Amino acid sequence: MVLKRLFALFFRPDETKSASTSGKSNRSSWTLLPEGQRATSERGPSEETDERRPATTPSADNYVRLCPHETLSFKRAQRILSLYGQGDIHPTMDAFTSAPQLHHSELSGGEFGRRKHPRLCKQDPSGYDVLQATSDYGFEKGLILNIRWQLSFKAHPELLKSVECLQQFLDSCDISLCPHKNLSDEEIAFKTFYSLKPPTDPIEKFEIASMKIKGCDQCGTDFWVSGRDDKKCRVETFRYLGTIETVDDKQWLAQCSD
């Protein structure tokens, strides 16, 4: 069964693959469940050209969404990037701030790298305390935003009855990993589920462990999914924001939300 699902994920007909990459929707065509209402509008391919264009119009008002509760402005990104000329700040600076007090708090007694008490973004839909994230910035020919979503299902094993059940829950959380992919996208939900509930067949188990999540071909974001035996899984994103010298920086605009 798992082998068939893996085959369906990676060896679809050409027309299906084309349809999944040509649009500008913030929902992936991998989704198993019927699509619901979304606050953000979908973009279709340009009628004038096949060239990929930024999803936003160049403006200092464009922003990058960090989480459901907070965004990163162009001016703030420039300030952060300027700090790298004054010394190494990685990984001491949180991307999350304390502004959304209901959802953001410091991890008491916790530590990440050289940073003590990292700030957490907590997502608690339907009374479940399952999702939380930490964040920081990196630098490599520009600013890199690194966000790690940790999912813990030890107290809620019912969410792991099936891939579809897990995906339905993740869909209710409405977490955008980049402007074009969500935490509930089928490829990510599939890898998350079988990382936490590995198949018994040794071949299938190896295939799941070696399965790599394809990076976003629209904005260049990289994804990493890893699971543990204690029903915890981490979905990590590396978003390349560019040099942020001007508002029309292509890398910056590709990461901006509509």
Side-chain angles (χ1 to χ4, degrees), residues 41-228:
S41 58
E42 296 190 351
R43 291 176 174 268
S46 169
E47 296 179 357
E48 302 174 355
T49 176
D50 290 332
E51 294 181 2
R52 187 179 302 126
R53 300 184 299 178
T56 56
T57 303
S59 167
D61 294 330
N62 291 146
Y63 61 85
V64 169
R65 178 155 295 284
L66 303 178
C67 69
H69 326 107
E70 190 169 23
T71 60
L72 174 68
S73 69
F74 177 78
K75 291 183 178 180
R76 183 173 176 83
Q78 281 190 318
R79 288 177 62 193
I80 295 167
L81 190 57
S82 70
L83 295 175
Y84 280 93
Q86 303 175 26
D88 178 23
I89 64 171
H90 179 70
T92 59
M93 179 181 287
D94 279 288
F96 300 140
T97 72
S98 59
Q101 295 181 5
L102 181 63
H103 293 278
H104 288 187
S105 62
E106 288 188 348
L107 177 60
S108 178
E111 186 171 349
F112 178 76
R114 297 195 305 270
R115 187 174 73 246
K116 294 184 178 180
H117 311 302
R119 187 165 289 116
L120 294 178
C121 171
K122 295 183 177 180
Q123 185 77 357
D124 189 20
S126 305
Y128 290 120
D129 188 16
V130 173
L131 267 174
Q132 61 185 28
T134 55
S135 64
D136 60 54
Y137 293 105
F139 179 78
E140 185 179 346
K141 298 180 181 179
L143 192 63
I144 300 174
L145 172 63
N146 177 212
I147 297 181
R148 299 161 295 277
W149 287 98
Q150 181 167 292
L151 301 91
S152 178
F153 298 99
K154 190 172 183 179
H156 301 285
E158 70 277 8
L159 297 177
L160 295 176
K161 289 181 179 179
S162 65
V163 175
E164 292 80 5
C165 184
L166 172 62
Q167 190 178 21
Q168 186 174 24
F169 167 75
L170 295 178
D171 191 62
S172 72
C173 299
D174 198 20
I175 303 293
S176 296
L177 301 179
C178 75
H180 319 99
K181 283 183 176 289
N182 291 334
L183 189 59
S184 60
D185 283 1
E186 184 182 356
E187 184 184 19
I188 295 172
F190 182 87
K191 171 72 171 180
T192 299
F193 180 84
Y194 284 106
S195 294
L196 295 169
K197 299 189 70 173
T200 55
D201 184 282
I203 295 178
E204 294 179 348
K205 186 175 183 179
F206 181 83
E207 287 176 331
I208 291 295
S210 60
M211 175 184 172
K212 305 296 183 184
I213 303 297
K214 181 184 177 184
C216 180
D217 57 4
Q218 297 189 56
C219 65
T221 296
D222 288 328
F223 310 95
W224 180 262
V225 179
S226 58
R228 301 188 337 208

